[in-house]
Amino acid sequence: DSGVTQTPKHLITATGQRVTLRCSPRSGDLSVYWYQQSLDQGLQFLIQYYNGEERAKGNILERFSAQQFPDLHSELNLSSLELGDSALYFCASSPGQGRGEQFFGPGTRLTVL
Amino acid sequence: LAKTTQPISMDSYEGQEVNITCSHNNIATNDYITWYQQFPSQGPRFIIQGYKTKVTNEVASLFIPADRKSSTLSLPRVSLSDTAVYYCLVGDRNAGNNRKLIWGLGTSLAVNP
């Protein structure tokens, strides 16, 4: 158990819908990272937040947005969903802004029908 | 922007030593090299991190030559439970603004009885 929690574990929705994925980092970690992993694909970095502020941005689509709240939990919002958005979405946390070691949550499996 | 290249897959047998090499020709002066392990449908797990020469912990060793353009993860005496995907990642330990984390497809290691 990494100490990072993600909800929900599974999510099934239809195209065009909007969903919100939630992540709680390890106690004391200030950075939260979001990743997307499609079937048989590597991890795609989406975005990083550090202590409430956006820190780094990856290949995140304009239909996707994220934020980190004062209690340090984070939410990833996915809107106008397409079939291709079906994937595992991982959240990770780390103590600092850019340390190599990240602690990953169990992931949320999103299925868009 | 640092990019890594690893073999797509490797096969081994229980009890053997496995070495996975990663190329990172354009690694920056302040980049660190980090390796993660991922089992199916789970988040990646940190294995080891290094900057130069050799680093060893309880599960693996990391060898980095002087030019730092490659690195080798060494797993001693693998077991069936080491069957997983292994990712090599390079990145700035003191991340600058808008830093992207590039993971790639990783190396799928299959350990046979």
Side-chain angles (χ1 to χ4, degrees):
Chain A
D1 185 359
S2 67
V4 178
T5 60
Q6 290 186 247
T7 56
K9 286 190 175 181
H10 301 276
L11 196 50
I12 301 175
T13 188
T15 55
Q17 295 299 305
R18 171 191 169 95
V19 296
T20 297
L21 312 183
R22 182 188 169 102
C23 169
S24 293
R26 291 188 324 156
S27 177
D29 283 358
L30 298 179
S31 273
V32 169
Y33 310 78
W34 285 99
Y35 293 88
Q36 178 192 59
Q37 187 171 40
S38 303
L39 192 64
D40 296 329
Q41 296 291 315
L43 282 160
Q44 297 290 322
F45 168 65
L46 297 178
I47 198 165
Q48 176 199 357
Y49 280 82
Y50 175 78
N51 203 20
E53 300 290 327
E54 183 181 302
R55 190 73 178 88
K57 210 166 192 176
N59 299 320
I60 187 167
L61 301 173
E62 286 192 10
R63 300 184 285 109
F64 296 179
S65 65
Q67 56 182 327
Q68 186 179 29
F69 295 86
D71 67 352
L72 301 177
H73 90 271
S74 178
E75 292 181 356
L76 178 67
N77 300 296
L78 314 175
S79 61
S80 302
L81 285 168
E82 302 174 359
L83 295 178
D85 296 327
S86 295
L88 261 173
Y89 290 84
F90 288 107
C91 165
S93 73
S94 70
Q97 298 187 47
R99 288 190 60 186
E101 183 171 358
Q102 298 177 24
F103 299 86
F104 283 76
T108 293
R109 182 173 294 280
L110 173 66
T111 302
V112 182
L113 301 175
Chain B
L1 201 59
K3 179 182 175 181
T4 62
T5 303
Q6 307 172 232
I8 294 296
S9 63
M10 294 182 68
D11 279 283
S12 184
Y13 292 92
E14 284 190 289
Q16 290 192 333
E17 177 184 75
V18 171
N19 296 310
I20 306 174
T21 297
C22 176
S23 297
H24 27 80
N25 291 325
N26 59 341
I27 189 170
T29 302
N30 54 354
D31 276 354
Y32 276 73
I33 300 151
T34 310
W35 286 81
Y36 285 82
Q37 175 193 56
Q38 186 180 26
F39 297 111
S41 299
Q42 294 185 25
R45 186 176 67 175
F46 174 87
I47 302 174
I48 198 166
Q49 183 182 69
Y51 182 77
K52 61 180 179 180
T53 62
K54 177 183 174 182
V55 179
T56 297
N57 62 21
E58 63 276 8
V59 298
S61 294
L62 179 60
F63 299 92
I64 305 168
D67 65 6
R68 303 196 332 116
K69 293 187 176 182
S70 67
S71 59
T72 299
L73 174 72
S74 181
L75 305 173
R77 298 179 298 280
V78 294
S79 64
L80 296 177
S81 63
D82 292 317
T83 294
V85 177
Y86 292 83
Y87 293 95
C88 164
L89 178 68
V90 299
D92 185 353
R93 188 164 189 168
N94 300 304
N97 290 333
N98 205 34
R99 163 180 166 241
K100 294 185 180 182
L101 302 176
I102 301 177
W103 283 66
L105 296 178
T107 297
S108 179
L109 172 65
V111 179
N112 302 293

Coordinates of all heavy atoms in Angstrom, one line a residue, chain B residues 8-90:
Chain B
I8 N 11.9 -3.7 -25.8 CA 10.5 -3.9 -25.6 C 10.2 -5.1 -24.6 O 9.4 -5.0 -23.7 CB 9.8 -4.1 -26.9 CG1 9.9 -2.9 -27.8 CG2 8.3 -4.5 -26.7 CD1 9.1 -1.7 -27.2
S9 N 11.0 -6.1 -24.8 CA 10.8 -7.3 -23.9 C 12.0 -8.1 -23.7 O 13.0 -7.9 -24.4 CB 9.7 -8.2 -24.6 OG 10.2 -8.7 -25.8
M10 N 12.0 -8.9 -22.6 CA 13.2 -9.7 -22.3 C 12.6 -11.0 -21.6 O 11.6 -10.9 -20.9 CB 14.1 -9.0 -21.3 CG 14.9 -7.9 -21.9 SD 16.0 -7.1 -20.7 CE 17.2 -8.4 -20.5
D11 N 13.3 -12.1 -21.8 CA 13.0 -13.3 -21.1 C 14.1 -13.8 -20.3 O 15.3 -13.6 -20.6 CB 12.7 -14.4 -22.2 CG 11.3 -14.3 -22.7 OD1 10.3 -14.7 -22.0 OD2 11.1 -13.8 -23.8
S12 N 13.8 -14.4 -19.1 CA 14.8 -15.0 -18.3 C 14.2 -16.2 -17.5 O 13.1 -16.6 -17.7 CB 15.3 -13.9 -17.3 OG 16.3 -14.4 -16.5
Y13 N 15.1 -16.8 -16.7 CA 14.7 -17.9 -15.9 C 14.9 -17.6 -14.4 O 15.8 -16.8 -14.1 CB 15.4 -19.2 -16.3 CG 15.1 -19.6 -17.7 CD1 15.8 -19.2 -18.8 CD2 14.0 -20.5 -17.9 CE1 15.4 -19.6 -20.1 CE2 13.6 -20.9 -19.2 CZ 14.4 -20.4 -20.3 OH 14.0 -20.8 -21.5
E14 N 14.2 -18.3 -13.6 CA 14.4 -18.1 -12.2 C 15.8 -18.3 -11.7 O 16.5 -19.3 -12.2 CB 13.5 -19.1 -11.4 CG 12.0 -18.8 -11.4 CD 11.2 -19.7 -10.4 OE1 11.1 -20.9 -10.8 OE2 10.8 -19.2 -9.4
G15 N 16.3 -17.5 -10.8 CA 17.6 -17.6 -10.3 C 18.7 -16.9 -11.1 O 19.8 -16.8 -10.6
Q16 N 18.3 -16.5 -12.3 CA 19.3 -15.8 -13.1 C 19.4 -14.3 -12.8 O 18.5 -13.7 -12.2 CB 19.0 -16.0 -14.6 CG 19.2 -17.4 -15.1 CD 19.2 -17.4 -16.6 OE1 18.6 -16.6 -17.3 NE2 19.9 -18.4 -17.2
E17 N 20.5 -13.7 -13.2 CA 20.6 -12.2 -13.1 C 20.1 -11.6 -14.4 O 20.4 -12.1 -15.4 CB 22.1 -11.8 -12.8 CG 22.3 -10.3 -12.8 CD 23.8 -10.0 -12.7 OE1 24.5 -10.1 -13.7 OE2 24.2 -9.6 -11.6
V18 N 19.3 -10.6 -14.2 CA 18.8 -9.9 -15.4 C 19.3 -8.4 -15.4 O 19.3 -7.7 -14.4 CB 17.2 -9.9 -15.3 CG1 16.7 -9.0 -16.4 CG2 16.7 -11.3 -15.5
N19 N 19.8 -8.0 -16.6 CA 20.3 -6.7 -16.8 C 19.4 -6.0 -17.9 O 19.4 -6.5 -19.0 CB 21.7 -6.7 -17.2 CG 22.6 -7.2 -16.1 OD1 22.5 -6.8 -14.9 ND2 23.5 -8.2 -16.4
I20 N 18.8 -4.9 -17.6 CA 18.0 -4.1 -18.5 C 18.7 -2.8 -18.7 O 18.9 -2.0 -17.8 CB 16.6 -3.9 -18.0 CG1 15.9 -5.2 -17.6 CG2 15.8 -3.2 -19.1 CD1 14.6 -5.1 -17.0
T21 N 19.1 -2.5 -20.0 CA 19.8 -1.3 -20.3 C 18.9 -0.3 -20.9 O 18.0 -0.6 -21.7 CB 21.0 -1.6 -21.3 OG1 21.9 -2.5 -20.6 CG2 21.7 -0.3 -21.6
C22 N 19.1 1.0 -20.5 CA 18.3 2.1 -21.0 C 19.2 3.1 -21.6 O 20.2 3.4 -21.0 CB 17.5 2.7 -19.9 SG 16.5 4.1 -20.2
S23 N 18.9 3.6 -22.8 CA 19.7 4.6 -23.4 C 19.0 6.0 -23.2 O 17.8 6.1 -23.4 CB 19.8 4.4 -24.9 OG 20.5 3.2 -25.2
H24 N 19.8 7.0 -22.9 CA 19.3 8.3 -22.7 C 20.4 9.3 -23.2 O 21.0 9.9 -22.4 CB 18.8 8.6 -21.3 CG 19.5 7.8 -20.2 ND1 20.8 8.1 -19.8 CD2 19.1 6.7 -19.6 CE1 21.2 7.2 -18.8 NE2 20.2 6.3 -18.7
N25 N 20.5 9.4 -24.5 CA 21.6 10.1 -25.1 C 21.7 11.6 -24.8 O 22.7 12.2 -24.7 CB 21.6 9.9 -26.6 CG 22.0 8.5 -27.0 OD1 22.8 7.9 -26.4 ND2 21.3 8.0 -28.1
N26 N 20.5 12.2 -24.6 CA 20.4 13.6 -24.4 C 20.1 14.0 -22.9 O 19.5 15.0 -22.6 CB 19.5 14.3 -25.3 CG 18.1 13.8 -25.2 OD1 17.9 12.7 -24.6 ND2 17.1 14.5 -25.6
I27 N 20.6 13.1 -22.0 CA 20.4 13.4 -20.6 C 21.1 14.7 -20.2 O 22.2 15.0 -20.7 CB 20.9 12.2 -19.7 CG1 20.5 12.4 -18.3 CG2 22.4 12.1 -19.9 CD1 20.7 11.2 -17.4
A28 N 20.4 15.5 -19.4 CA 20.9 16.8 -19.0 C 21.9 16.6 -17.8 O 21.8 15.6 -17.1 CB 19.8 17.7 -18.7
T29 N 22.7 17.6 -17.6 CA 23.7 17.6 -16.5 C 23.0 17.3 -15.1 O 23.6 16.5 -14.3 CB 24.4 18.9 -16.4 OG1 25.0 19.2 -17.7 CG2 25.5 18.9 -15.3
N30 N 21.9 17.8 -14.9 CA 21.3 17.7 -13.6 C 20.2 16.6 -13.5 O 19.4 16.6 -12.6 CB 20.8 19.0 -13.0 CG 19.8 19.7 -14.0 OD1 19.7 19.2 -15.1 ND2 19.2 20.8 -13.6
D31 N 20.1 15.8 -14.6 CA 19.0 14.8 -14.6 C 19.5 13.6 -13.8 O 20.6 13.2 -13.8 CB 18.8 14.3 -16.0 CG 17.8 15.1 -16.8 OD1 17.2 16.1 -16.2 OD2 17.7 14.9 -18.0
Y32 N 18.5 13.0 -13.1 CA 18.7 11.7 -12.4 C 18.0 10.6 -13.2 O 17.2 10.9 -14.0 CB 18.0 11.8 -11.0 CG 19.0 12.4 -10.0 CD1 19.2 13.8 -10.0 CD2 19.6 11.6 -9.0 CE1 20.1 14.3 -9.0 CE2 20.4 12.2 -8.0 CZ 20.7 13.5 -8.1 OH 21.5 14.1 -7.2
I33 N 18.4 9.4 -12.9 CA 17.9 8.2 -13.6 C 17.1 7.4 -12.6 O 17.7 7.1 -11.5 CB 19.0 7.4 -14.3 CG1 19.8 8.3 -15.3 CG2 18.4 6.2 -14.9 CD1 21.2 7.9 -15.4
T34 N 15.9 7.1 -12.9 CA 15.0 6.4 -12.0 C 14.4 5.2 -12.7 O 14.0 5.3 -13.9 CB 13.9 7.3 -11.5 OG1 14.5 8.6 -11.0 CG2 13.2 6.7 -10.3
W35 N 14.2 4.1 -12.0 CA 13.6 2.9 -12.5 C 12.4 2.6 -11.7 O 12.4 2.7 -10.4 CB 14.6 1.7 -12.5 CG 15.6 1.8 -13.6 CD1 16.8 2.5 -13.6 CD2 15.6 1.2 -14.9 NE1 17.5 2.4 -14.7 CE2 16.8 1.5 -15.5 CE3 14.7 0.3 -15.5 CZ2 17.1 1.0 -16.8 CZ3 15.0 -0.2 -16.7 CH2 16.2 0.2 -17.4
Y36 N 11.3 2.2 -12.4 CA 10.1 1.7 -11.7 C 9.7 0.4 -12.3 O 10.1 0.0 -13.4 CB 8.9 2.7 -12.1 CG 9.0 4.0 -11.3 CD1 9.8 5.1 -11.8 CD2 8.2 4.2 -10.2 CE1 9.9 6.3 -11.1 CE2 8.3 5.4 -9.5 CZ 9.1 6.4 -9.9 OH 9.1 7.6 -9.3
Q37 N 8.9 -0.3 -11.4 CA 8.4 -1.6 -11.8 C 6.9 -1.5 -11.8 O 6.3 -0.9 -10.9 CB 8.8 -2.7 -10.7 CG 8.3 -4.1 -10.9 CD 8.5 -4.9 -9.6 OE1 8.2 -4.5 -8.5 NE2 9.2 -6.0 -9.8
Q38 N 6.2 -2.2 -12.8 CA 4.8 -2.1 -12.8 C 4.2 -3.5 -13.1 O 4.6 -4.1 -14.1 CB 4.2 -1.1 -13.8 CG 2.7 -1.0 -13.8 CD 2.2 0.0 -14.8 OE1 2.8 0.2 -15.9 NE2 1.0 0.6 -14.5
F39 N 3.3 -3.9 -12.2 CA 2.5 -5.2 -12.5 C 1.2 -4.8 -13.1 O 0.7 -3.7 -13.0 CB 2.3 -5.9 -11.1 CG 3.5 -6.3 -10.4 CD1 3.9 -5.7 -9.3 CD2 4.3 -7.3 -11.0 CE1 5.1 -6.1 -8.6 CE2 5.5 -7.8 -10.3 CZ 5.8 -7.1 -9.1
P40 N 0.6 -5.8 -13.8 CA -0.7 -5.5 -14.6 C -1.7 -4.8 -13.7 O -1.9 -5.3 -12.5 CB -1.1 -6.8 -15.1 CG 0.2 -7.6 -15.2 CD 1.0 -7.1 -14.1
S41 N -2.3 -3.8 -14.2 CA -3.4 -3.1 -13.5 C -3.0 -2.5 -12.1 O -3.9 -2.2 -11.3 CB -4.6 -4.0 -13.3 OG -5.1 -4.4 -14.6
Q42 N -1.7 -2.3 -11.9 CA -1.3 -1.6 -10.7 C -0.5 -0.4 -11.0 O 0.1 -0.3 -12.1 CB -0.5 -2.6 -9.8 CG -1.2 -3.8 -9.2 CD -0.3 -4.6 -8.3 OE1 0.6 -4.0 -7.7 NE2 -0.7 -5.8 -8.1
G43 N -0.4 0.5 -10.1 CA 0.5 1.7 -10.3 C 2.0 1.3 -10.2 O 2.3 0.3 -9.6
P44 N 2.8 2.0 -11.0 CA 4.3 1.7 -10.9 C 4.8 1.8 -9.5 O 4.3 2.6 -8.7 CB 4.9 2.7 -11.8 CG 3.8 3.1 -12.7 CD 2.5 3.0 -11.9
R45 N 5.9 1.1 -9.2 CA 6.5 1.2 -7.9 C 8.0 1.5 -8.1 O 8.7 0.9 -8.9 CB 6.4 -0.2 -7.2 CG 6.8 -0.2 -5.8 CD 6.5 -1.5 -5.1 NE 7.3 -2.6 -5.7 CZ 7.3 -3.9 -5.3 NH1 6.6 -4.2 -4.3 NH2 8.0 -4.8 -5.9
F46 N 8.5 2.4 -7.3 CA 9.9 2.9 -7.4 C 10.8 1.7 -7.0 O 10.6 1.0 -6.1 CB 10.1 4.0 -6.4 CG 11.5 4.5 -6.2 CD1 12.0 5.4 -7.1 CD2 12.3 4.0 -5.2 CE1 13.3 5.9 -6.9 CE2 13.6 4.4 -5.1 CZ 14.1 5.4 -5.9
I47 N 11.9 1.6 -7.9 CA 12.9 0.6 -7.6 C 14.2 1.2 -7.1 O 14.7 0.9 -6.0 CB 13.2 -0.3 -8.8 CG1 12.0 -1.0 -9.4 CG2 14.3 -1.3 -8.5 CD1 12.3 -1.7 -10.7
I48 N 14.7 2.1 -7.9 CA 16.0 2.7 -7.6 C 16.2 3.9 -8.4 O 15.6 4.1 -9.4 CB 17.1 1.6 -7.9 CG1 18.4 1.9 -7.2 CG2 17.3 1.4 -9.4 CD1 19.4 0.7 -7.3
Q49 N 17.1 4.8 -7.8 CA 17.4 6.0 -8.5 C 18.9 6.3 -8.3 O 19.5 6.0 -7.3 CB 16.6 7.2 -7.9 CG 16.9 8.5 -8.6 CD 16.1 9.6 -7.9 OE1 16.3 10.0 -6.8 NE2 15.0 10.1 -8.6
G50 N 19.5 6.9 -9.4 CA 20.9 7.2 -9.3 C 21.3 8.4 -10.2 O 20.6 8.8 -11.1
Y51 N 22.5 8.9 -10.0 CA 23.0 10.0 -10.8 C 24.3 9.6 -11.6 O 24.4 9.9 -12.7 CB 23.3 11.2 -9.9 CG 23.8 12.4 -10.7 CD1 22.9 13.2 -11.4 CD2 25.2 12.7 -10.7 CE1 23.4 14.3 -12.1 CE2 25.7 13.8 -11.4 CZ 24.7 14.6 -12.1 OH 25.2 15.7 -12.8
K52 N 25.2 8.9 -10.9 CA 26.4 8.4 -11.6 C 26.9 7.2 -10.8 O 26.5 6.9 -9.7 CB 27.4 9.5 -11.7 CG 27.9 10.0 -10.3 CD 29.0 11.1 -10.5 CE 29.5 11.6 -9.2 NZ 30.5 12.7 -9.4
T53 N 27.8 6.5 -11.5 CA 28.5 5.3 -11.0 C 27.5 4.2 -10.6 O 26.8 3.7 -11.5 CB 29.5 5.6 -9.8 OG1 28.7 6.1 -8.7 CG2 30.5 6.6 -10.3
K54 N 27.5 3.8 -9.4 CA 26.7 2.6 -9.0 C 25.9 2.9 -7.8 O 26.4 3.5 -6.8 CB 27.6 1.4 -8.8 CG 26.9 0.1 -8.4 CD 27.9 -1.0 -8.1 CE 27.1 -2.2 -7.5 NZ 28.1 -3.3 -7.2
V55 N 24.7 2.4 -7.8 CA 23.8 2.5 -6.7 C 23.2 1.1 -6.4 O 22.9 0.4 -7.3 CB 22.6 3.5 -6.9 CG1 21.7 3.6 -5.7 CG2 23.2 4.9 -7.2
T56 N 23.2 0.7 -5.2 CA 22.6 -0.6 -4.8 C 21.7 -0.4 -3.6 O 21.9 0.3 -2.7 CB 23.7 -1.6 -4.4 OG1 24.6 -1.7 -5.6 CG2 23.2 -2.9 -4.0
N57 N 20.5 -1.1 -3.7 CA 19.6 -1.2 -2.6 C 19.3 -2.7 -2.4 O 19.9 -3.6 -3.0 CB 18.4 -0.3 -2.7 CG 17.6 -0.7 -3.9 OD1 17.6 -1.8 -4.5 ND2 16.8 0.3 -4.4
E58 N 18.3 -3.0 -1.6 CA 18.0 -4.4 -1.2 C 17.4 -5.2 -2.4 O 17.3 -6.4 -2.3 CB 17.0 -4.4 0.0 CG 15.7 -3.7 -0.3 CD 15.7 -2.2 -0.1 OE1 16.8 -1.6 0.1 OE2 14.6 -1.7 -0.1
V59 N 16.9 -4.5 -3.5 CA 16.3 -5.2 -4.5 C 17.0 -5.2 -5.9 O 16.8 -6.0 -6.7 CB 14.8 -4.8 -4.8 CG1 14.0 -5.0 -3.5 CG2 14.8 -3.3 -5.2
A60 N 17.9 -4.2 -6.1 CA 18.5 -4.0 -7.4 C 19.8 -3.2 -7.3 O 20.1 -2.6 -6.3 CB 17.5 -3.3 -8.3
S61 N 20.5 -3.2 -8.4 CA 21.6 -2.3 -8.6 C 21.4 -1.5 -9.8 O 20.8 -2.0 -10.8 CB 22.9 -3.1 -8.7 OG 23.2 -3.7 -7.4
L62 N 22.0 -0.3 -9.8 CA 21.9 0.6 -11.0 C 23.3 1.0 -11.4 O 24.0 1.6 -10.5 CB 21.1 1.8 -10.7 CG 20.9 2.8 -11.8 CD1 20.3 2.2 -13.0 CD2 20.0 4.0 -11.3
F63 N 23.7 0.7 -12.6 CA 25.0 1.0 -13.1 C 24.9 2.1 -14.1 O 24.2 2.0 -15.1 CB 25.7 -0.2 -13.7 CG 25.9 -1.4 -12.8 CD1 24.9 -2.3 -12.7 CD2 27.0 -1.4 -12.0 CE1 25.1 -3.4 -11.8 CE2 27.2 -2.5 -11.1 CZ 26.2 -3.5 -11.0
I64 N 25.7 3.2 -13.9 CA 25.7 4.4 -14.8 C 27.1 4.7 -15.2 O 28.0 5.0 -14.3 CB 25.1 5.6 -14.1 CG1 23.7 5.2 -13.5 CG2 25.0 6.8 -15.0 CD1 23.1 6.2 -12.6
P65 N 27.4 4.6 -16.5 CA 28.8 4.9 -16.9 C 29.1 6.4 -16.8 O 28.2 7.2 -16.6 CB 28.8 4.4 -18.4 CG 27.3 4.6 -18.8 CD 26.5 4.2 -17.6
A66 N 30.3 6.7 -17.0 CA 30.8 8.1 -16.8 C 30.1 9.1 -17.7 O 29.8 10.2 -17.3 CB 32.3 8.2 -17.0
D67 N 29.8 8.7 -19.0 CA 29.1 9.6 -19.9 C 27.6 9.8 -19.6 O 27.0 10.6 -20.2 CB 29.4 9.3 -21.3 CG 28.7 7.9 -21.7 OD1 28.0 7.3 -20.9 OD2 28.9 7.5 -22.9
R68 N 27.1 8.9 -18.8 CA 25.7 8.9 -18.3 C 24.7 8.8 -19.5 O 23.5 9.1 -19.3 CB 25.4 10.1 -17.5 CG 26.3 10.3 -16.3 CD 25.9 11.2 -15.2 NE 25.1 12.3 -15.7 CZ 23.8 12.5 -15.3 NH1 23.2 11.7 -14.5 NH2 23.1 13.6 -15.7
K69 N 25.1 8.3 -20.6 CA 24.2 8.2 -21.8 C 23.4 6.9 -21.8 O 22.6 6.7 -22.6 CB 24.9 8.4 -23.1 CG 25.5 9.8 -23.3 CD 26.1 10.0 -24.6 CE 26.6 11.5 -24.8 NZ 27.1 11.8 -26.1
S70 N 23.7 6.1 -20.8 CA 22.9 4.9 -20.7 C 22.9 4.5 -19.2 O 23.7 5.0 -18.4 CB 23.5 3.8 -21.5 OG 24.7 3.4 -21.0
S71 N 22.1 3.6 -18.8 CA 22.1 3.0 -17.5 C 21.6 1.6 -17.5 O 20.9 1.2 -18.5 CB 21.3 3.8 -16.5 OG 19.9 3.9 -16.9
T72 N 22.0 0.8 -16.6 CA 21.6 -0.6 -16.6 C 21.1 -1.0 -15.2 O 21.7 -0.8 -14.2 CB 22.8 -1.6 -16.9 OG1 23.3 -1.2 -18.2 CG2 22.4 -3.0 -16.8
L73 N 19.9 -1.5 -15.2 CA 19.2 -2.0 -14.0 C 19.6 -3.5 -13.9 O 19.4 -4.2 -14.9 CB 17.7 -1.8 -14.1 CG 16.9 -2.5 -13.0 CD1 17.1 -1.6 -11.7 CD2 15.4 -2.6 -13.3
S74 N 20.1 -3.9 -12.8 CA 20.5 -5.3 -12.6 C 19.6 -5.9 -11.5 O 19.6 -5.4 -10.3 CB 22.0 -5.3 -12.2 OG 22.4 -6.7 -12.0
L75 N 18.9 -6.9 -11.8 CA 18.1 -7.7 -10.8 C 18.8 -9.0 -10.5 O 18.9 -9.9 -11.4 CB 16.7 -7.9 -11.4 CG 15.9 -6.7 -11.9 CD1 14.7 -7.1 -12.6 CD2 15.7 -5.7 -10.7
P76 N 19.3 -9.2 -9.3 CA 20.0 -10.4 -9.0 C 19.0 -11.6 -8.7 O 18.0 -11.4 -8.1 CB 20.8 -10.1 -7.8 CG 19.9 -9.0 -7.1 CD 19.2 -8.3 -8.2
R77 N 19.3 -12.7 -9.3 CA 18.5 -13.9 -9.0 C 17.0 -13.7 -9.0 O 16.3 -13.7 -8.0 CB 18.9 -14.5 -7.6 CG 20.4 -14.9 -7.5 CD 20.7 -15.4 -6.1 NE 20.6 -14.4 -5.1 CZ 21.4 -13.5 -4.9 NH1 22.5 -13.4 -5.6 NH2 21.2 -12.6 -3.9
V78 N 16.5 -13.5 -10.2 CA 15.1 -13.1 -10.4 C 14.2 -14.4 -10.0 O 14.6 -15.5 -10.1 CB 14.8 -12.7 -11.8 CG1 15.5 -11.3 -12.1 CG2 15.1 -13.7 -12.9
S79 N 13.0 -14.0 -9.6 CA 12.0 -15.1 -9.4 C 10.8 -14.8 -10.2 O 10.7 -13.8 -10.9 CB 11.6 -15.0 -7.9 OG 11.0 -13.8 -7.6
L80 N 9.8 -15.7 -10.2 CA 8.6 -15.5 -11.0 C 7.9 -14.2 -10.7 O 7.3 -13.6 -11.6 CB 7.7 -16.7 -10.8 CG 8.2 -18.1 -11.2 CD1 7.1 -19.2 -10.9 CD2 8.5 -18.1 -12.7
S81 N 8.0 -13.8 -9.5 CA 7.3 -12.6 -9.1 C 7.9 -11.3 -9.6 O 7.4 -10.2 -9.4 CB 7.2 -12.5 -7.5 OG 8.5 -12.4 -7.0
D82 N 9.1 -11.4 -10.2 CA 9.7 -10.3 -10.9 C 9.2 -10.0 -12.3 O 9.6 -9.1 -13.0 CB 11.2 -10.5 -10.9 CG 11.9 -10.4 -9.5 OD1 11.5 -9.6 -8.7 OD2 12.7 -11.3 -9.3
T83 N 8.3 -10.9 -12.8 CA 7.7 -10.7 -14.1 C 6.9 -9.4 -14.0 O 5.9 -9.4 -13.2 CB 6.8 -11.9 -14.4 OG1 7.6 -13.1 -14.6 CG2 6.0 -11.6 -15.7
A84 N 7.2 -8.5 -14.8 CA 6.6 -7.1 -14.7 C 7.1 -6.3 -15.9 O 8.0 -6.7 -16.6 CB 6.9 -6.5 -13.4
V85 N 6.7 -5.0 -16.0 CA 7.2 -4.1 -16.9 C 8.1 -3.1 -16.1 O 7.7 -2.7 -15.0 CB 6.1 -3.3 -17.6 CG1 6.7 -2.2 -18.5 CG2 5.2 -4.2 -18.4
Y86 N 9.3 -2.9 -16.6 CA 10.3 -2.0 -16.0 C 10.5 -0.7 -16.8 O 10.8 -0.8 -18.0 CB 11.6 -2.7 -15.8 CG 11.4 -3.9 -14.8 CD1 10.9 -5.1 -15.2 CD2 11.8 -3.7 -13.5 CE1 10.7 -6.1 -14.3 CE2 11.6 -4.7 -12.6 CZ 11.1 -5.9 -13.0 OH 10.9 -7.0 -12.1
Y87 N 10.3 0.4 -16.2 CA 10.4 1.7 -16.8 C 11.7 2.4 -16.4 O 12.0 2.5 -15.2 CB 9.3 2.6 -16.5 CG 7.9 2.1 -17.0 CD1 7.1 1.4 -16.3 CD2 7.5 2.5 -18.3 CE1 5.9 1.0 -16.8 CE2 6.3 2.1 -18.8 CZ 5.5 1.3 -18.0 OH 4.3 0.9 -18.5
C88 N 12.4 3.0 -17.3 CA 13.5 3.9 -17.1 C 13.0 5.3 -17.3 O 12.4 5.6 -18.3 CB 14.6 3.5 -18.1 SG 15.9 4.8 -18.2
L89 N 13.4 6.2 -16.4 CA 12.9 7.5 -16.5 C 14.0 8.5 -16.1 O 14.7 8.2 -15.1 CB 11.8 7.7 -15.5 CG 11.1 9.1 -15.3 CD1 10.4 9.4 -16.6 CD2 10.2 9.1 -14.1
V90 N 14.2 9.5 -16.9 CA 15.2 10.5 -16.6 C 14.5 11.8 -16.3 O 13.5 12.1 -17.0 CB 16.3 10.7 -17.7 CG1 17.1 9.4 -17.9 CG2 15.7 11.2 -19.0

